[in-house]
Amino acid sequence: MNQVKEKEEILLTDRAWVEINLNNLTHNINEIKKVIPKSTKIMAVVKANAYGHGMTIISKKLEEIGINDFAVATLKEAIDLRKSGIRGNILILGYTDINDLKYVIKYDLIQTIVDYEYAISISKLNLDSKLKAHIKINTGMNRLGESYKNIDNIKSIFKINNIDIKGMYTHLCVSDSEYLDDINFTNNQINNFYSLVNRLKQDKFNLGKIHIQASYGILNYPELNLDYVRPGIIMYGVYSNNSKTKIKLNLKPVLSLKARVTSIKEIEANESVSYGRIFKANKSTKVAHVSIGYADGIPRELSDGIVRINNKFTKIIGKICMDGLMIDVSNIDVKVGDIVTLIGNDIKALDISKNLNTITNELLSRLGNRLALKVVNY
Ligand SMILES: *Cc1c(COP(=O)(O)O)cnc(C)c1O
């Protein structure tokens, strides 16, 4: 996303943009702090351009309000974050190619050790200084991480000369579920991780920072008392889905998504709109073209979705195009340049993603880099 420009310039020229409410970000952080132990710190997950919110602007605000720990998915994100001036710890949650680990050191980042084999390849490298790392433990997600069962392997990772272990973590895979089976599974993940931690502690390993919970770990397993929690989606003020949670926070969405009317036309009954002629008017209809499309991150499946313009709700009609979409403005007083809200106010990211059978995490993180970014404070 473009960095913040002069407000006036954005108002005059931008075709489509996200509006970021930083007061709501602060509010959500305070909500999270209310339910985690005093000694637990927030590691803010700002991967994927802070879930479409703009990594730089979000991270700078977080640093300003006292957050000192960040997590991203990739080395590129981590370097961008460091170059943007963030001084805190930056953990790369994903895999970094062995040949690129020199940059992890150069930019003072922290790498996740994704498994034993990865650690062994690192041990053979000639690095300028020790690689700071957190060991990822697999307790059932089966994505990344060395299995909690392989205690000997994990111990040998701690002994590798050119790796400086700063922490160890695992990730829960059904922590959002209310079903007993899933709760049992999650408790097993947690217990297996804890037994590993205890065994290593008994053997005098210096484990560094220990962490487990992402957003739904915080909401459903609030009794855990670890060094970090790793919230992503709830920091941005939305739930992933409609599942019931043990803890309910009073979250406020940080992001709104807006675009402009660029052209208005009248069509007759039986005329169609957009590709495939899926929408056919059954009466004469006033149609407005809006300058945002699927290349900006509006899912094409949202054809039929609700938008808001001039304080009225109306529908997207016809297939969404790459750069634009059409809405029915038959009964609405509309002119070129008017602002259309696609997410925000009464149009919730959660409702949209539910209708599309996905989660808000996906909807928001896919918002494209063609969108401008505007910071509002209200
Ligand atoms: C993305 C991610 C998070 C944040 O997840 P949310 O569900 O958005 O809170 C935390 N930890 C890891 C390892 C992740 O990949």
Side-chain angles (χ1 to χ4, degrees), residues 251-303:
L251 298 176
K252 295 186 179 171
V254 174
L255 176 144
S256 309
L257 179 62
K258 301 190 177 177
R260 285 181 192 284
V261 169
T262 53
S263 168
I264 301 159
K265 56 173 60 61
E266 299 274 350
I267 61 168
E268 302 296 321
N270 290 325
E271 283 196 82
S272 62
V273 171
S274 196
Y275 290 118
R277 307 192 63 217
I278 303 298
F279 174 87
K280 288 216 175 78
N282 53 20
K283 57 179 184 330
S284 66
T285 301
K286 188 163 57 152
V287 179
H289 172 268
V290 182
S291 51
I292 187 167
Y294 61 77
D296 299 295
I298 285 289
R300 194 160 171 271
E301 298 83 355
L302 198 64
S303 307

Side-chain angles (χ1 to χ4, degrees), residues 295-312:
D296 299 295
I298 285 289
R300 194 160 171 271
E301 298 83 355
L302 198 64
S303 307
D304 267 353
I306 303 292
V307 301
R308 190 177 157 114
I309 177 166
N310 299 345
N311 291 318
K312 297 224 166 75

